[in-house]
Amino acid sequence: MTTVQADTDTGADTDTDTDAQLRALAEQAGRDLEDASALEILQWAADTFGKQFCVTSSMEDAVVSHLASRAYPGVDVVFLDTGYHFPETIGTRDAVEAVMDVNVITLTPRQTVAEQDAEHGPKLHDRNPDLCCALRKVEPLERGLTKYRAWATGLRRDESPTRANTPVVGWDEKRRKVKISPIARWTQDDVDAYVSEHGVLTNPLLMDGYPSVGCAPCTRRVLEGEDARAGRWSGSAKTECGLHG
Ligand code: SF4
């Protein structure tokens, strides 16, 4: 396992011409691959970007990591260790690394939780979750993605209204990367079927009332009839951590 805290290699071109070319490539691929299978989408990403492509995983399950490892064995799987994860999530990360043909890269924030508490006061997640996510998720991810041209996520259109228009391949203007969501069109039933067919690792919390798993202080079990992400930042207007905005 690799843990990254310092700035990473900045090998990727980020000049305006390259950005325009990458954006056009992403938009064309989004149209061309709308009806392609998740594996075909990831095979396109592997063929197009090679080592400059990674998967990000929250370790809710390892479905996209598993698919990506079929398309590109040894693919980089980037995990954000916010310091606030459930032990089950860290265990899932360790199990993925142990059994799958992937290279797990763990990104950490610039400050430990204790250092953040000393600067901003304890339980920043309760008082200013946007700042907490910015410090513990958004900044480390942006730093960690620097060396890649494309990243894949497990976003699905059926997860919430804010994700309903997720393209299978699109342009991430904020990070100037190609953003690939190979299972955007999948339903929960599709995920369950893939997990069952391939014996894919899943976070044990999924079987314990948490259909969406985030940081422990900001995740609760969902109630009957609630949408899958209702347990995230429950009681506040916040619905996303800023990684996908
Ligand atoms: Fe902080 Fe909660 Fe965001 Fe995790 S999900 S980084 S604990 S505000």
Side-chain angles (χ1 to χ4, degrees), residues 82 84 125 129 132-133 136-137 215 217-218 233:
T82 64
Y84 279 118
H125 46 75
C132 188
C133 279
R136 311 204 72 75
K137 289 186 170 181
C215 293
C218 302
W233 303 284

Side-chain angles (χ1 to χ4, degrees), residues 155-157 159-166 229 239-240 244:
L155 294 181
R156 298 201 328 262
R157 293 171 188 168
E159 288 178 305
S160 69
T162 59
R163 298 184 174 186
N165 297 317
T166 301
R229 289 181 60 82
T239 57
E240 297 281 353
H244 304 295

Side-chain angles (χ1 to χ4, degrees), residues 27-173:
E27 291 174 351
Q28 184 64 48
R31 291 187 288 273
D32 292 347
L33 295 171
E34 170 61 23
D35 297 322
S37 71
L39 191 55
E40 288 170 336
I41 294 166
L42 285 163
Q43 193 63 61
W44 171 83
D47 293 345
T48 306
F49 300 107
K51 285 196 71 64
Q52 290 186 315
F53 160 66
C54 70
V55 176
T56 56
S57 176
S58 65
M59 297 300 164
E60 195 171 280
D61 63 51
V63 167
V64 176
S65 300
H66 187 274
L67 281 158
S69 74
R70 292 170 63 193
Y72 193 89
V75 66
D76 286 353
V77 171
V78 172
F79 170 69
L80 279 171
D81 186 354
T82 64
Y84 279 118
H85 283 303
F86 292 100
E88 290 88 342
T89 301
I90 300 299
T92 304
R93 187 271 317 266
D94 293 345
V96 164
E97 182 178 39
V99 306
M100 288 175 50
D101 190 0
V102 297
N103 177 39
V104 174
I105 296 173
T106 295
L107 303 177
T108 57
R110 292 193 185 277
Q111 292 184 316
T112 64
V113 170
E115 288 167 346
Q116 178 173 292
D117 287 353
E119 183 172 340
H120 297 281
K123 298 190 175 181
L124 183 62
H125 46 75
D126 287 353
R127 294 176 289 108
N128 191 342
D130 285 344
L131 178 58
C132 188
C133 279
L135 295 170
R136 311 204 72 75
K137 289 186 170 181
V138 177
E139 190 281 331
L141 182 73
E142 288 178 3
R143 186 160 31 97
L145 287 183
T146 305
K147 69 176 181 176
Y148 301 102
R149 288 189 171 192
W151 61 302
T153 78
L155 294 181
R156 298 201 328 262
R157 293 171 188 168
D158 73 341
E159 288 178 305
S160 69
T162 59
R163 298 184 174 186
N165 297 317
T166 301
V168 295
V169 181
W171 176 246
D172 179 350
E173 179 64 34

